[in-house]
Amino acid sequence: MKKAFQSIFALALVAIGATGCTDEVQVGNAFLDKAPGGTMNLDSIFSNPDYINQFLTNIYNKQYYGLPYNQDKNQAAGVYNGKLDALTDLYQLHWAGSKVWNSYYTGTMSSREDPLLSYTNDYVWKVVHEVSVIKENIYREDLHPNMSDKQKDYIVAQAKAIQAYEYATLLPHYGGLPIIEKTISDAAEMVSDEYGERHIGERCTFEQTVDAIVKWCDEAAPYLYWAYNGNDDESSSRQTGRWTKAGVMALKAKVLWLAASPLYNSNESYMGGASEAEQKKLVWYGNYDQKRWERALQAFEDFWRENEQNGNYYHLYEATTKNNDGYRLAYRRGYMFDDSPENIHWTKVAGIFGTQGAYSWLSWNWVENGVRRLVHSPSLEYVEMFPWSDGKPFDREKDLKYSHSYEDAKDPGINWDVYTCLNGTYDKLFYTYKEIRGGFSKTASRDPRLYENATVTGTPENLALQSTDGKATGNIKELWVGGQDAGTCIKDPADYTVTESLTSYCPTGFGAYKYVLNRIEWWRDPNMHWNALTIPDMILMYAECLAECSRLDDAITQVDKIRSRVGLKGIVSCNTALDLKNNKANLIEEILRERACELGMTNSRYIDMIRRMRTDWMTKKLHGLASFRMIKNAQNKWVRRNAPWFGDDKNSGQAEPARFEYEIFPLTQGYRVFWDMDPNSLELKKWLMMPFPQDEVNRGYGLIQNPGW
């Protein structure tokens, strides 16, 4: 897995910029960087194929990367921001120093500050400018870089793909964008404001922006390799990480899928239609057209056909051991290996670990020694989305049995309801237990993806990524009140009052796991990649398009591909009451739930929330689950044991805990103002899109503000 970093990203160590031939656009970051020890002009760069590749690689390094990796507050990847996922019903971020908490949860963000994905401070316009520098200089007849036209076309195609990806990243959050196709070096080509500064032009419509992205993908595709499969020297697998034909075809399909969604493809605008942005169709198409879903569907089918012609190079990573641990490993390897057949395109940044590890996503999440400020704790609502191991849905009303209630020790007006989830004598919520000599044998009772997206009580701590036997080992995770890992961070063991500790490992009763794992399981790649386009995402987007085009049976087939990879039975047989073969709305709802289970911590839930206008997700109050370990006392009654098992209890011969009680509690730390709002209110709906920087809007060059901001 190191091979990719040693090839394309090794070039990043030689940071070459250009000066002297182009002016700097006054939006966002500076566009041109100085090289170490001096500067290099465009003639020097575009006369040397090595320098051209280095220039291109520096653009690759500016692609959107979705994991926080430094302490810069002005980038989407800044650790002081938090992730888009924390704005959904899947996770709660408990650190008050984050933008998620102090701007979004409080509802105080304005157009005077950067949203989680910045219009000006996330390198997009620097990328756009440098792409234009390549297009305008690589074919110059006065330069002789000893490159064939085919090699030049290949460089330009990659540059166009990067530009398409950057635009596609902003599109769902901002809508129509200024379309830049060339460097801006002449005052006549720019708009001047009252201060005499020059800027890029006005916003294009949403439709024009979508079509521009599609055009760049179509233009790039013929000049790119389908995959870096090692079939020849030029398509060596060492080039993994560069854009491919598969990548741009997948990106095109994803953009068309997004654009066909209800936020943009509707007869009624999400904010009522009165604003200038809506009137000028900057945030939507202005009507509903079924053909947009059909266009997206065709793009997906073009991708699958081309993939089949190339030997189905991209495919799901299948389990070699057909048990829970084997399914977990297949799921994990699919997204964690940068050369996985599931990864169509990924991005990386340099220096996210090692000496700067204190400011990385990993270090700020570690159980062992992390500062834990970025722990995105899974909600109970998320955990309940994962079905039982046979694929049947989890149902809180049926599967959690009421046991008894007791009065809060500090607030006599509050009663706590206690629940069990038993299979006979022992628990079954996450594992089923069978008594054997010396303790219990246990079997995972839920969808294997649950254990890869959340840490739950009873999970063995070590399931090595490189494991050959697919067997988890080590001490179990103790997330019950008073347990080794949870301690008092959920409820106080003395009086049972909720503590929901702010920088603890599991303030919701569950620990973060996706992209984190733990130090025992994997000595991390120092440059962890971000999965930009993956096969599981493609399958589920394709399924949604099929459903929207009334091909329900075909959509079900696609969903079952995802489920069978982790050993789940078909979605129809497991959800007979939903009539999925005939009820399109129910099927789409199930596809959205499958996306949540399959694509945790990838921004997918947030994208689904806004594009589907699911303000009911935004206003859904979230909960945690307090677990209590139960043991039999001298009177042969089950009582709570609010203490660790690892250590004294285990050493004294007590069997692994196999019975628990549960209490559901509302999350109060980081209480979101959205939870008290009407899901149909315009004040809430404005959050479906992000605000442009008001300073940029005020310059008057055509950057019209999004509705409500």
Side-chain angles (χ1 to χ4, degrees):
M1 292 188 297
K2 299 288 186 184
K3 61 180 180 296
F5 180 74
Q6 292 169 347
S7 53
I8 175 175
F9 284 90
L11 293 172
L13 299 178
V14 184
I16 292 183
T19 60
C21 292
T22 58
D23 289 341
E24 181 180 299
V25 178
Q26 300 297 318
V27 171
N29 301 296
F31 281 89
L32 303 172
D33 300 319
K34 291 185 177 182
T39 64
M40 186 169 290
N41 63 35
L42 290 175
D43 289 0
S44 299
I45 292 174
F46 287 94
S47 297
N48 186 312
D50 290 336
Y51 291 165
I52 292 172
N53 268 291
Q54 290 166 2
F55 188 87
L56 175 66
T57 300
N58 280 320
I59 306 179
Y60 268 104
N61 290 336
K62 300 178 182 73
Q63 293 177 109
Y64 175 75
Y65 179 87
L67 297 176
Y69 68 92
N70 64 22
Q71 57 182 333
D72 189 342
K73 295 183 181 180
N74 296 320
Q75 296 176 14
V79 293
Y80 289 95
N81 286 340
K83 282 180 54 59
L84 291 168
D85 305 86
L87 305 180
T88 73
D89 54 346
L90 305 190
Y91 305 95
Q92 181 79 349
L93 183 58
H94 282 79
W95 180 42
S98 66
K99 182 181 288 288
V100 162
W101 177 301
N102 58 45
S103 293
Y104 283 84
Y105 289 174
T106 61
T108 58
M109 190 186 74
S110 74
S111 59
R112 295 293 182 182
E113 64 178 295
D114 265 339
L116 290 182
L117 202 154
S118 172
Y119 176 74
T120 55
N121 290 318
D122 279 319
Y123 299 127
V124 172
W125 305 111
K126 189 179 181 79
V127 165
V128 170
H129 180 75
E130 292 182 352
V131 165
S132 296
V133 168
I134 287 180
K135 291 190 294 185
E136 293 173 6
N137 288 277
I138 198 168
Y139 296 112
R140 284 172 52 188
E141 294 183 358
D142 59 321
L143 302 177
H144 306 282
N146 193 28
M147 296 177 75
S148 67
D149 287 343
K150 179 181 177 182
Q151 290 171 317
K152 293 177 182 177
D153 292 342
Y154 175 50
I155 295 290
V156 171
Q158 291 178 73
K160 288 182 177 180
I162 297 171
Q163 179 167 359
Y165 174 63
E166 293 299 288
Y167 269 76
T169 300
L170 292 184
L171 177 70
H173 310 286
Y174 290 96
L177 302 165
I179 305 300
I180 309 298
E181 293 273 23
K182 61 180 181 179
T183 56
I184 301 173
S185 57
D186 190 311
E189 299 175 340
M190 307 178 76
V191 179
S192 297
D193 63 17
E194 60 183 302
Y195 307 104
E197 295 183 3
R198 295 176 296 162
H199 304 271
I200 58 179
E202 64 183 16
R203 288 179 71 180
C204 292
T205 66
F206 180 81
E207 182 173 14
Q208 289 170 331
T209 306
V210 170
D211 289 345
I213 298 169
V214 169
K215 178 176 74 76
W216 294 325
C217 290
D218 286 343
E219 289 174 349
Y223 303 101
L224 298 172
Y225 298 100
W226 179 253
Y228 296 107
N229 50 25
N231 288 347
D232 54 51
D233 289 341
E234 289 189 334
S235 65
S236 166
S237 58
R238 287 177 58 84
Q239 302 303 312
T240 302
R242 293 184 184 271
W243 277 96
T244 60
K245 184 177 182 180
V248 293
M249 289 185 71
L251 181 61
K252 172 184 174 178
K254 186 168 187 174
V255 167
L256 292 175
W257 160 84
L258 174 83
S261 300
L263 180 62
Y264 322 103
N265 183 23
S266 175
N267 286 326
E268 183 177 341
S269 173
Y270 72 108
M271 286 291 284
S275 70
E276 184 179 4
E278 292 165 296
Q279 291 289 320
K280 292 186 174 180
K281 301 178 182 178
L282 304 181
V283 293
W284 66 318
Y285 278 107
N287 68 333
Y288 173 79
D289 191 340
Q290 173 63 26
K291 291 182 179 178
R292 294 184 184 119
W293 282 112
E294 295 168 3
R295 185 186 182 195
L297 179 62
Q298 185 61 56
F300 280 101
E301 294 189 332
D302 289 344
F303 173 86
W304 296 120
R305 183 177 59 255
E306 190 90 11
N307 192 46
E308 184 177 11
Q309 292 172 357
N310 284 274
N312 288 313
Y313 181 84
Y314 298 101
H315 56 270
L316 290 174
Y317 204 118
E318 298 290 348
T320 55
T321 305
K322 304 296 184 180
N323 59 24
N324 179 71
D325 291 342
Y327 292 133
R328 285 180 58 190
L329 281 176
Y331 174 87
R332 191 191 308 171
R333 289 167 175 169
Y335 82 86
M336 288 292 284
F337 286 173
D338 58 10
D339 56 356
S340 160
E342 290 186 16
N343 276 337
I344 304 171
H345 186 71
W346 51 251
T347 64
K348 283 189 179 182
V349 292
I352 67 169
F353 189 66
T355 59
Q356 297 301 313
Y359 299 106
S360 74
W361 164 256
L362 297 172
S363 287
W364 280 36
N365 273 278
W366 270 357
V367 179
E368 296 91 338
N369 65 350
V371 293
R372 298 176 181 173
R373 294 175 184 170
L374 283 183
V375 174
H376 288 59
S377 304
S379 67
L380 175 60
E381 284 72 14
Y382 186 24
V383 169
E384 290 178 342
M385 292 181 191
F386 293 89
W388 295 104
S389 59
D390 62 0
K392 292 181 180 179
F394 180 89
D395 186 335
R396 183 192 296 182
E397 297 299 318
K398 295 179 180 178
D399 295 321
L400 281 181
K401 304 295 184 181
Y402 172 79
S403 174
H404 62 280
S405 300
Y406 67 91
E407 196 170 64
D408 192 301
K410 289 188 176 180
D411 191 343
I414 296 178
N415 290 325
W416 288 100
D417 293 335
V418 179
Y419 298 88
T420 60
C421 189
L422 301 177
N423 178 27
T425 303
Y426 301 110
D427 205 82
K428 70 171 185 179
L429 185 57
F430 302 120
Y431 292 92
T432 56
Y433 299 84
K434 181 179 179 181
E435 287 189 62
I436 59 174
R437 185 175 180 180
F440 298 91
S441 65
K442 66 181 183 181
T443 304
S445 60
R446 301 287 288 278
D447 180 343
R449 296 172 298 184
L450 169 59
Y451 309 92
E452 289 295 306
N453 282 278
T455 303
V456 298
T457 287
T459 303
E461 63 182 347
N462 183 18
L463 180 59
L465 187 64
Q466 302 286 4
S467 170
T468 57
D469 60 4
K471 185 177 181 180
T473 60
N475 297 310
I476 62 169
K477 303 304 291 184
E478 299 187 5
L479 272 64
W480 60 79
V481 172
Q484 189 76 24
D485 300 290
T488 62
C489 75
I490 306 167
K491 274 198 163 190
D492 190 298
D495 58 20
Y496 301 141
T497 54
V498 175
T499 56
E500 205 181 337
S501 180
L502 298 189
T503 55
S504 67
Y505 172 54
C506 54
T508 64
F510 307 106
Y513 199 76
K514 186 80 173 283
Y515 279 112
V516 179
L517 311 184
N518 65 54
R519 195 186 312 175
I520 297 172
E521 292 175 314
W522 184 49
W523 187 252
R524 294 167 178 78
D525 183 337
N527 297 87
M528 178 63 198
H529 64 272
W530 167 254
N531 301 285
L533 294 163
T534 69
I535 286 295
D537 195 10
M538 289 291 286
I539 290 173
L540 291 170
M541 289 188 290
Y542 179 42
E544 186 178 345
C545 288
L546 288 165
E548 287 286 2
C549 293
S550 298
R551 291 169 55 182
L552 304 192
D553 287 346
D554 292 336
I556 289 165
T557 297
Q558 296 303 314
V559 174
D560 284 349
K561 288 180 181 179
I562 295 293
R563 290 168 65 89
S564 65
R565 191 265 288 270
V566 289
L568 303 182
K569 294 179 182 178
I571 195 169
V572 172
S573 63
C574 292
N575 295 274
T576 54
L578 297 180
D579 191 24
L580 298 179
K581 283 181 166 288
N582 300 294
N583 191 315
K584 182 168 78 171
N586 284 353
L587 179 57
I588 290 174
E589 195 69 19
E590 280 301 292
I591 291 171
L592 295 176
R593 184 196 54 75
E594 282 291 326
R595 285 177 56 78
C597 294
E598 182 71 25
L599 305 172
M601 203 55 70
T602 65
N603 296 343
S604 293
R605 186 67 168 181
Y606 182 82
I607 297 296
D608 287 348
M609 181 177 72
I610 60 174
R611 70 180 181 86
R612 280 277 170 188
M613 296 192 292
R614 295 304 298 265
T615 51
D616 58 320
W617 296 353
M618 298 172 72
T619 56
K620 182 195 303 181
K621 294 184 179 180
L622 303 181
H623 298 81
L625 187 72
S627 305
F628 297 90
R629 171 188 167 200
M630 306 297 290
I631 63 171
K632 279 191 174 181
N633 64 10
Q635 290 75 41
N636 203 35
K637 292 184 178 181
W638 290 102
V639 295
R640 293 179 174 182
R641 170 70 169 154
N642 301 316
W645 174 63
F646 180 80
D648 292 343
D649 285 358
K650 184 178 180 181
N651 293 341
S652 66
Q654 288 194 33
E656 177 182 325
R659 179 167 172 145
F660 302 91
E661 286 184 346
Y662 302 100
E663 295 177 18
I664 299 170
F665 61 93
L667 300 182
T668 58
Q669 298 293 345
Y671 190 92
R672 309 183 197 183
V673 296
F674 305 139
W675 290 346
D676 293 322
M677 295 176 69
D678 179 352
N680 296 313
S681 70
L682 295 183
E683 180 59 26
L684 177 68
K685 287 184 176 180
K686 79 171 187 178
W687 292 83
L688 292 171
M689 278 202 173
M690 295 182 179
F692 287 93
Q694 194 59 42
D695 287 345
E696 290 294 318
V697 174
N698 292 344
R699 293 184 189 279
Y701 60 87
L703 195 64
I704 297 168
Q705 185 59 274
N706 277 336
W709 294 101

